Amino acid sequence: RVLGTVHGNPAIYGTYLRSSNVYTSYVAGIASMDQSLLKFQLHPGAEDPGPGRWHAQPFIPPRLRTGLEATFNSGFKIDVSDGGFYLNGTTRGNLAKGVASEVYYRNGHLAIGVWGQTVHMTPDVVGVRQNLHLIVADGKVPGTVDSNVETSWGATLGGGYYVWRSGIGVTRDGRVIFVYGPALNVRGLAELLKRAGALTAMQLDINPDWMSYEYYLPKHHPGDPAPVNLLPDQMQPPGHYYSPNSRDFTTVYAR
């Protein structure tokens, strides 16, 4: 179904999928976003990366809500992400070669790749968010997603493999795919991203407190659109990015 339009054209599609034949009562949410109609922006968190000369706010102030189409969570805390965070000339941690990276460009484009190999620092890069390693590469799920799940892919609540997880990928034609949901192991998340068309994808955050995808309905107030959770059972309320957020996140606007 269409979750958002730009100039009357479908910009965001959303769907639900029961991804496991074991945990059949759980549903994952999938959003597919058209970069020709949308632009992506990285925001800092009030606590992570914390205060800095980011030239961006840890929330969405009223003056920046016109054209808002979607928001979604970012990755692990930076000190356990295996990489760093860069925004508007300021860095927290270190941008590490070989680490999976979301790269935000001045024109609003978003790329997913391996830092120092398929994505690099250029004058057009305004943001970089690194987190672990790719879980889909060249359209394939690497065997590493099954190895050392707790040590390589994040400490989970209760030590379980099947927990809330989120991930992001890019299709061959440039669409951005976001997937999240409960009772997912790393392979399950990767397979969902791959099945949704992602050629390259990475895991973002895990555990229920940090999961969120919201789309925004302008209704009769385009300057103050109403947020709606893609998955109604996510813990975060739909309007939480309208207030200061402790962790970094991404906003999606109409072009």
Side-chain angles (χ1 to χ4, degrees), residues 62-149:
R63 61 184 174 82
L64 295 180
R65 295 176 187 174
T66 299
L68 183 62
E69 294 282 339
T71 46
F72 54 84
N73 65 269
S74 196
F76 288 8
K77 294 188 72 172
I78 293 161
D79 62 359
V80 293
S81 69
D82 291 346
F85 179 98
Y86 169 85
L87 184 59
N88 295 323
T90 299
T91 305
R92 188 64 45 85
N94 297 305
L95 296 180
K97 291 183 178 179
V99 174
S101 305
E102 295 173 284
V103 182
Y104 301 74
Y105 292 90
R106 200 171 305 280
N107 65 358
H109 183 77
L110 176 67
I112 308 292
V114 177
W115 193 250
Q117 297 179 21
T118 58
V119 288
H120 307 80
M121 183 60 73
T122 73
D124 292 327
V125 172
V126 294
V128 180
R129 191 15 160 126
Q130 298 191 309
N131 202 60
L132 308 179
H133 300 278
L134 293 183
I135 60 174
V136 179
D138 297 323
K140 299 177 181 179
V141 178
T144 51
V145 301
D146 302 313
S147 304
N148 304 315
V149 174

Side-chain angles (χ1 to χ4, degrees), residues 193-211:
L193 286 156
K194 176 186 173 183
R195 289 174 63 184
L199 191 67
T200 306
M202 58 190 280
Q203 180 178 273
L204 293 176
D205 218 339
I206 64 174
N207 296 322
D209 281 350
W210 312 116
M211 300 294 98

Side-chain angles (χ1 to χ4, degrees), residues 143-188:
T144 51
V145 301
D146 302 313
S147 304
N148 304 315
V149 174
E150 284 194 66
T151 55
S152 299
W153 302 104
T156 62
L157 295 177
Y161 291 170
Y162 294 87
V163 297
W164 276 87
R165 296 183 189 272
S166 60
I168 191 168
V170 176
T171 67
R172 188 178 299 277
D173 61 356
R175 296 187 72 91
V176 175
I177 307 295
F178 182 91
V179 172
Y180 76 138
L184 290 172
N185 63 359
V186 186
R187 175 167 290 277

